[in-house]
C-alpha cells in the first residue's frame, strides 16, 4: 500500500502533519471498522447487527443505579441554582459519590460499581436531562480524569488512587493550553528528567474540576536539546510544591456550574512512580481517553435534547394561537417530527458506539468521533427546534429550556471541534482507500517528472501483475467510465425493513464512487480542500447514523412484535426512525450535489478579502489570543471584567488538598 506522505505536490508541512498524526494514532488496526468500510463501499453487517444490548446482570445493576439517581435528581438536585450561582455545591458532589455515580465505572475491587461503558452513558444521559453542568463534571471525572489511571495505571497506582477516585476525590485532565486546543500534539508544557523525578514547567487551561480535584493527569513534552522530546502522562496532586491553581474558573455562557481551572507548573517535581503507561506515549493515552469522553458528551447532549423534545411537544399541544394549538400547524409538525427523528437516531448512534467500546472492537476511533459530531449537531438542532416552538417562553429561565440551549452549544466545540472532526472522519475514514488508489496511480499512470521511457517500462511491467490489475480494472471503470461497483447487501434485517436497507446500500455504493472520482479530480489538493472533505464526512456521518438506526429499529421491531396501535411510544419511535431515513437521504444527496454545484470559489475569494480588510483594523479594538504567535501578542483589547463573577486562585487550596488526601 502506498503512503500519502509520499504523494507528489504536497507541502513539507503537510507531510510532517501526516507523519505526526500517524505516530499519535498508532498503527492501522488489522480489521477495518464499520465507517472505513463505508468508504470502500462495504456494509459490514457484523459491526451493526444485532444491535448491542446489556446482559441481564448489568442491566439490573444499571437500572438500580438509575432509580437511585432519578429520585435524587427529581427531589434534591439544584439545577437552576447551579446555573445561576455558577458553582456545583460540594454537597452535590458528595451525594453523587454516595449514590455511586462518581465511581460507577471503577472496578469493584477498588470501591467502584464496575459498570460498563453503555451503563455509564445511560447514567450520563439521565443527568443531562436535568443538568448539563453536572453531566460535564461527572464525565470529566470518569471519562478522562480517572480513565487514564484505569486504563494505563499499574496495579500499585490503581490500589493507591482508584479507591479515592471512587469515593471522595474528583479528578481532572490537563491537556489544553493557551496555544493548544484541538492540536493536542502541540504541547508546550514540558519536563526534564532529574534522577528519579520529572520536573514540569508550563501552563494548562480548561482543566474541568481542576481546582476541586485531588488528582490530575498532566500531559507534558520532554524538553530535549534536539527538540524531539515526546509527550508523557504524569499524575500530579494539587498540594505538590510549584502547582499554582491561579484561576479556579471563568464565567461563561453555558455549563456555568462546571469549573475549568488555569494551572501553572513551576518546577514541579513528580516522582517516576507517577508516570502513567510508557514514557513518550502520553498523547496516545490522551486520545484513547477522549474516545470515552466523546461518548459521554453525546449522552449528556441526548438527555438535554430529550428533555426539550418532550417539553416543546407538550407546549405545541397546549399553546393556542389564532384559535388553534400550535401543533395543528404543518411547520410546527415539521419541527416536532424532526425532534423525534433526530432523538431516535442519536440514541441509536450513541449506544451502538458504546456497544463497540464495551465489546472492545479494535478499530473505533472514527466511530467515536462520528458519535460526538452526530450527537452534538443533531442534539443542537433538536434544542433549537424546541426553542422555536416555545417562542418567547423558551427564553425564560424558569422554564429551563434556555439553560439546555446554552449548555448544548459548547458540545459542537469541545472534544474536537466539529470542523476538525469532519476532516478527521474524511482523512481516517478514507485513508486506506486513498493509499490503495495512490499505489495504483504510481504503478500505472505517468508522473509529471517521469520520463516517457521510464513510464512505459513501469506501466508495461505492472500491467502483467495480476494483483495490481485486479484492483486497477474495477477502479478504472469507476473513475473513468462511471461504472459503479456491485451493491453491498444488508441481509440481517426484518423483511419489513428491507426497503430501507436497500436504500442505504445504494447510497454507500455512491459514497465510494464519489470518493474515488473526487480523489482523482483533486489529487494532492484534496488534502487541503476541507469544504470537499466535509461533504464526504457529512455523507458518511448520515450513512453511519442510518445503519445504527436501522439496527436499533430492527431490534425494537422484534421486541414489540404483536403490539397494537395502543403502544404509542413504540409507534412514535418507529415513525421517527422512518422519518430519519428520509431526512438522512436528503442530506446525503445534498452533500453529493455540492461536490459538483457549490460556492467554494466565491467563498474563498470572499474570505480572503475579509481577512485582508481585517488586517487593516487596529488590534486594540479586538480580543486577541493571549499567546498568539503573531506580532499582535499583547496588543489586543483587554476584556472588561466589571460585573463578571471572578474565580481567583485560593492560597489556602493546598492546605485543603493535603487535609482531604491525608
Amino acid at each position: 500500500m502506498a503512503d500519502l506522505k509520499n504523494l507528489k505536490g504536497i507541502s513539507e508541512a503537510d507531510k510532517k502533519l501526516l507523519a505526526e498524526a500517524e505516530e499519535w494514532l498508532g498503527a492501522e488496526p488489522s480489521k477495518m471498522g464499520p465507517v472505513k468500510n463505508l468508504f470502500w463501499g462495504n456494509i459490514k453487517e457484523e459491526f451493526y447487527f444485532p444491535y448491542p444490548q446489556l446482559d441481564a446482570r448489568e442491566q439490573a445493576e444499571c437500572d438500580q443505579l438509575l432509580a437511585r439517581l432519578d429520585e435524587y435528581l427529581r427531589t434534591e438536585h439544584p439545577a437552576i441554582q447551579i446555573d445561576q450561582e455558577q458553582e456545583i455545591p460540594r454537597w452535590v458532589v458528595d451525594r453523587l459519590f454516595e449514590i455511586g455515580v462518581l465511581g460507577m465505572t471503577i472496578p469493584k475491587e477498588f470501591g467502584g460499581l464496575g459498570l460498563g461503558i453503555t451503563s455509564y452513558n445511560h447514567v450520563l444521559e439521565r443527568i443531562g436531562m436535568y443538568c448539563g453542568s453536572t453531566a460535564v463534571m461527572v464525565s470529566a471525572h470518569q471519562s478522562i480524569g480517572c480513565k487514564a489511571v484505569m486504563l494505563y495505571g499499574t496495579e500499585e497506582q490503581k490500589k493507591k488512587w482508584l479507591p479515592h477516585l471512587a469515593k471522595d476525590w474528583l479528578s481532572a485532565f490537563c491537556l489544553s493550553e493557551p496555544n493548544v486546543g484541538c492540536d493536542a500534539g502541540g504541547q508546550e508544557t514540558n519536563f526534564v528528567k532529574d534522577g528519579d523525578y520529572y520536573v514540569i514547567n508550563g501552563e494548562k487551561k480548561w482543566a474541568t474540576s481542576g481546582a476541586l480535584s485531588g488528582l490530575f493527569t498532566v500531559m507534558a513534552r520532554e524538553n530535549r536539546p534536539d527538540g524531539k522530546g515526546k509527550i508523557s502522562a504524569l499524575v500530579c496532586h494539587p498540594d505538590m510544591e510549584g502547582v499554582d491553581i491561579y484561576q479556579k474558573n471563568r464565567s461563561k455562557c453555558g455549563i456555568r456550574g462546571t469549573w475549568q481551572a488555569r494551572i501553572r507548573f513551576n518546577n514541579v517535581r513528580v516522582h517516576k512512580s507517577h508516570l502513567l503507561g510508557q514514557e513518550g506515549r502520553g498523547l496516545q493515552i490522551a486520545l484513547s481517553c477522549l474516545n470515552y469522553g466523546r461518548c459521554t458528551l453525546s449522552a449528556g447532549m441526548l438527555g438535554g435534547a430529550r428533555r426539550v423534545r418532550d417539553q416543546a411537544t407538550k407546549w405545541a399541544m397546549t399553546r393556542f394561537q389564532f384559535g388553534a394549538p400550535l401543533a395543528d400547524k404543518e411547520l410546527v409538525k415539521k419541527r416536532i417530527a424532526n425532534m423525534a427523528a433526530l432523538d431516535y437516531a442519536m440514541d441509536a448512534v450513541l449506544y451502538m458506539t458504546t456497544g463497540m467500546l464495551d465489546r472492545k472492537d479494535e478499530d473505533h476511533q472514527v466511530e467515536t468521533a462520528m458519535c460526538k459530531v452526530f450527537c452534538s449537531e443533531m442534539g443542537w438542532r433538536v434544542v433549537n427546534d424546541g426553542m422555536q416552538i416555545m417562542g418567547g417562553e423558551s427564553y425564560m429561565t424558569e422554564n429551563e429550556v434556555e439553560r439546555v440551549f446554552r449548555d448544548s452549544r459548547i458540545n459542537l466545540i469541545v472534544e474536537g471541534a466539529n470542523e476538525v472532526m469532519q476532516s478527521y472522519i474524511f482523512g481516517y475514514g478514507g485513508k486506506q482507500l486513498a493509499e490503495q488508489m495512490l499505489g495504483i496511480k504510481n504503478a500505472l499512470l505517468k508522473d509529471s517528472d517521469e520520463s516517457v521511457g521510464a513510464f512505459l517500462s513501469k506501466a508495461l511491467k505492472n500491467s502483467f501483475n495480476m494483483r495490481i490489475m485486479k484492483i486497477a480494472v474495477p477502479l478504472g471503470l469507476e473513475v473513468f467510465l462511471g461504472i459503479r461497483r456491485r451493491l453491498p447487501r444488508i441481509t440481517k434485517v426484518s423483511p419489513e425493513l428491507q426497503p430501507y436497507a436497500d436504500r442505504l446500500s445504494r447510497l454507500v455504493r455512491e459514497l465510494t464512487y464519489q470518493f474515488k472520482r473526487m480523489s482523482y479530480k483533486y489529487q494532492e489538493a484534496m488534502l487541503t480542500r476541507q469544504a470537499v472533505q466535509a461533504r464526504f464526512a457529512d455523507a458518511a456521518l448520515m450513512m453511519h447514523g442510518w445503519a445504527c438506526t436501522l439496527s436499533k429499529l430492527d431490534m425494537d421491531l422484534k421486541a414489540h412484535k404483536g403490539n397494537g396501535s395502543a403502544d404509542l411510544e413504540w409507534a412514535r419511535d418507529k415513525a421517527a426512525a422512518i422519518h430519519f431515513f428520509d431526512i438522512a437521504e436528503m442530506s446525503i444527496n445534498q452533500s453529493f450535489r455540492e461536490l459538483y454545484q457549490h460556492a467554494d470559489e466565491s467563498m474563498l475569494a470572499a474570505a480572503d478579502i475579509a481577512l485582508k480588510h481585517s488586517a487593516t483594523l487596529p488590534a486594540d479594538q479586538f480580543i486577541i489570543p493571549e499567546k498568539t504567535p503573531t506580532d499582535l501578542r499583547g496588543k489586543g483589547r483587554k476584556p472588561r471584567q466589571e460585573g463578571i463573577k471572578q474565580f481567583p486562585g485560593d492560597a489556602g487550596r493546598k492546605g485543603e488538598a493535603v487535609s482531604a488526601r491525608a
Side-chain angles (χ1 to χ4, degrees):
M1 187 178 289
D3 191 327
L4 288 178
K5 297 190 299 298
N6 297 327
L7 188 63
K8 290 181 171 59
I10 68 170
S11 68
E12 290 302 317
D14 284 337
K15 288 181 181 179
K16 181 181 177 183
L17 184 62
L18 285 168
E20 288 178 347
E22 289 173 357
E23 181 182 357
W24 300 341
L25 296 169
E28 289 280 1
S30 58
K31 186 177 182 180
M32 288 192 300
V35 173
K36 290 178 182 175
N37 269 285
L38 295 180
F39 279 90
W40 286 77
N42 302 323
I43 300 174
K44 291 293 186 180
E45 291 186 278
E46 65 268 25
F47 287 111
Y48 291 112
F49 298 92
Y51 194 80
Q53 299 183 66
L54 292 175
D55 64 54
R57 180 198 59 80
E58 174 143 348
Q59 184 68 64
E61 291 184 10
C62 181
D63 288 344
Q64 290 171 9
L65 177 59
L66 286 171
R68 297 196 300 271
L69 177 63
D70 271 335
E71 177 66 19
Y72 162 75
L73 290 170
R74 285 196 310 268
T75 62
E76 298 180 57
H77 191 71
I80 295 178
Q81 175 190 331
I82 286 170
D83 180 66
Q84 293 293 303
E85 297 183 5
Q86 303 183 55
E87 180 177 359
I88 297 174
R90 181 66 209 192
W91 71 262
V92 169
V93 178
D94 292 340
R95 283 288 282 126
L96 292 172
F97 271 121
E98 179 187 336
I99 293 168
V101 165
L102 285 167
M104 62 184 141
T105 62
I106 293 173
K108 292 181 179 179
E109 61 263 35
F110 300 115
L113 299 182
L115 294 177
I117 305 304
T118 297
S119 296
Y120 171 34
N121 278 270
H122 279 299
V123 171
L124 262 294
E125 178 195 333
R126 193 65 53 88
I127 296 173
M129 293 182 73
Y130 289 86
C131 182
S133 291
T134 304
V136 170
M137 181 197 71
V138 174
S139 173
H141 171 61
Q142 289 194 99
S143 297
I144 53 179
C146 62
K147 194 69 179 181
V149 178
M150 290 170 58
L151 291 176
Y152 298 98
T154 64
E155 281 305 305
E156 182 180 351
Q157 290 171 334
K158 292 176 183 179
K159 289 176 183 177
K160 183 177 181 182
W161 295 324
L162 288 182
H164 281 294
L165 295 172
K167 297 298 183 183
D168 56 4
W169 288 0
L170 285 176
S171 57
F173 198 67
C174 297
L175 178 65
S176 298
E177 302 180 4
N179 270 340
V180 176
C182 293
D183 180 14
Q187 298 291 306
E188 295 178 356
T189 296
N190 63 84
F191 69 85
V192 294
K193 288 188 279 190
D194 181 14
D196 288 343
Y197 288 85
Y198 300 95
V199 183
I200 306 177
N201 283 280
E203 181 178 339
K204 296 291 183 178
K205 67 188 298 190
W206 312 128
T208 297
S209 301
L212 308 171
S213 298
L215 173 153
F216 33 80
T217 304
V218 181
M219 300 298 155
R221 184 185 300 278
E222 183 179 3
N223 189 354
R224 288 177 37 169
D226 61 6
K228 295 183 179 180
K230 294 187 176 182
I231 297 167
S232 293
L234 302 165
V235 169
C236 293
H237 300 295
D239 56 299
M240 286 179 166
E241 189 66 34
V243 174
D244 178 17
I245 302 175
Y246 70 95
Q247 192 174 30
K248 292 186 288 188
N249 186 32
R250 289 164 67 191
S251 189
K252 50 194 171 289
C253 169
I255 55 168
R256 288 159 62 88
T258 61
W259 281 15
Q260 286 77 34
R262 303 193 71 174
I263 308 173
R264 291 194 187 102
F265 298 87
N266 302 302
N267 294 316
V268 178
R269 296 177 66 81
V270 181
H271 192 264
K272 65 181 182 180
S273 63
H274 283 221
L275 172 71
L276 282 181
Q278 297 177 353
E279 194 174 285
R281 301 289 292 176
L283 192 56
Q284 288 82 354
I285 291 173
L287 294 175
S288 177
C289 290
L290 287 174
N291 286 330
Y292 297 92
R294 286 170 180 152
C295 287
T296 49
L297 175 152
S298 301
M301 180 77 255
L302 173 60
R306 284 197 156 150
R307 179 80 177 268
V308 173
R309 174 203 64 184
D310 292 344
Q311 171 59 60
T313 303
K314 184 66 75 175
W315 186 272
M317 297 171 66
T318 55
R319 169 65 167 166
F320 278 61
Q321 289 287 279
F322 305 106
L326 295 179
D328 281 0
K329 311 301 180 185
E330 190 169 275
L331 290 180
V332 175
K333 287 183 176 181
K334 180 180 180 182
R335 292 187 186 275
I336 292 170
N338 196 57
M339 289 191 298
L342 297 185
D343 171 83
Y344 190 90
M346 288 167 64
D347 186 292
V349 170
L350 170 60
Y351 293 113
M352 178 68 76
T353 311
T354 63
M356 292 175 182
L357 292 173
D358 272 332
R359 70 190 183 209
K360 296 180 171 53
D361 284 9
E362 183 184 6
D363 191 10
H364 58 246
Q365 285 184 313
V366 178
E367 287 71 24
T368 57
M370 275 195 161
C371 182
K372 185 268 174 180
V373 176
F374 188 89
C375 291
S376 63
E377 176 61 38
M378 302 307 150
W380 173 249
R381 294 181 191 180
V382 169
V383 174
N384 193 58
D385 279 339
M387 290 282 290
Q388 191 70 16
I389 289 171
M390 289 186 65
E393 284 292 336
S394 71
Y395 249 52
M396 300 300 107
T397 301
E398 68 215 46
N399 292 328
E400 301 191 59
V401 172
E402 63 86 26
R403 187 178 74 245
V404 182
F405 181 77
R406 288 185 287 106
D407 289 348
S408 298
R409 186 59 182 84
I410 192 65
N411 292 327
L412 283 76
I413 299 170
V414 294
E415 305 282 7
N418 283 6
E419 290 81 2
V420 174
M421 291 291 97
Q422 283 173 312
S423 290
Y424 174 81
I425 290 165
F426 168 82
Y428 282 86
K431 181 175 182 287
Q432 288 165 295
L433 176 56
E435 288 182 331
Q436 185 192 78
M437 292 178 65
L438 177 60
I440 297 300
K441 175 179 179 290
N442 291 342
L444 296 173
L445 300 181
K446 185 179 182 300
D447 287 331
S448 57
D449 59 353
E450 192 174 32
S451 70
V452 174
F455 159 63
L456 291 174
S457 175
K458 174 190 74 175
L460 185 63
K461 174 185 174 183
N462 290 326
S463 294
F464 290 97
N465 185 321
M466 290 300 101
R467 184 180 64 84
I468 292 175
M469 296 309 294
K470 186 178 179 180
I471 300 170
V473 170
L475 179 61
L477 290 174
E478 283 194 87
V479 172
F480 298 112
L481 298 179
I483 299 175
R484 274 72 164 171
R485 55 170 289 158
R486 187 176 67 239
L487 273 173
R489 296 290 298 169
I490 298 175
T491 62
K492 296 182 179 181
V493 295
S494 303
E496 181 180 342
L497 300 181
Q498 193 62 52
Y500 305 108
D502 293 344
R503 284 166 62 187
L504 175 59
S505 296
R506 289 190 289 272
L507 292 167
V508 170
R509 178 174 67 176
E510 192 66 14
L511 175 69
T512 194
Y513 168 72
Q514 295 295 349
F515 181 89
K516 293 163 186 171
R517 285 290 305 270
M518 292 298 115
S519 295
Y520 179 74
K521 174 182 177 180
Y522 287 104
Q523 301 285 330
E524 65 274 4
M526 191 67 138
L527 291 174
T528 58
R529 294 301 302 269
Q530 288 187 317
V532 181
Q533 294 173 12
R535 291 170 189 129
F536 281 107
D538 290 347
L541 190 74
M542 282 297 192
M543 291 179 203
H544 179 62
W546 187 318
C548 295
T549 301
L550 184 66
S551 178
K552 176 176 167 57
L553 182 60
D554 185 62
M555 176 190 71
D556 288 346
L557 186 67
K558 291 169 181 172
H560 291 84
K561 191 172 184 180
N563 287 13
S565 58
D567 189 345
L568 290 177
E569 183 178 7
W570 158 235
R572 178 201 64 183
D573 288 347
K574 181 181 178 183
I578 291 170
H579 184 47
F580 175 73
F581 298 147
D582 289 344
I583 292 172
E585 188 164 31
M586 291 170 63
S587 174
I588 293 164
N589 286 330
Q590 177 67 17
S591 293
F592 289 155
R593 278 194 299 273
E594 288 182 3
L595 293 171
Y596 300 91
Q597 299 175 342
H598 52 73
D600 291 358
E601 282 70 29
S602 60
M603 174 271 290
L604 292 170
D608 287 343
I609 197 64
L611 291 166
K612 289 178 181 177
H613 173 258
S614 181
T616 68
L617 302 177
D620 61 8
Q621 294 182 10
F622 305 96
I623 309 297
I624 303 294
E626 60 189 299
K627 291 198 174 180
T628 176
T630 71
D631 60 4
L632 296 182
R633 181 183 292 194
K635 297 179 181 178
R637 177 172 68 81
K638 188 175 181 179
R640 297 180 62 176
Q641 300 295 334
E642 301 95 313
I644 299 176
K645 186 173 181 177
Q646 300 299 304
F647 301 83
D650 186 349
R653 170 63 185 152
K654 289 185 181 180
E656 294 169 12
V658 172
S659 175
R661 299 196 304 111

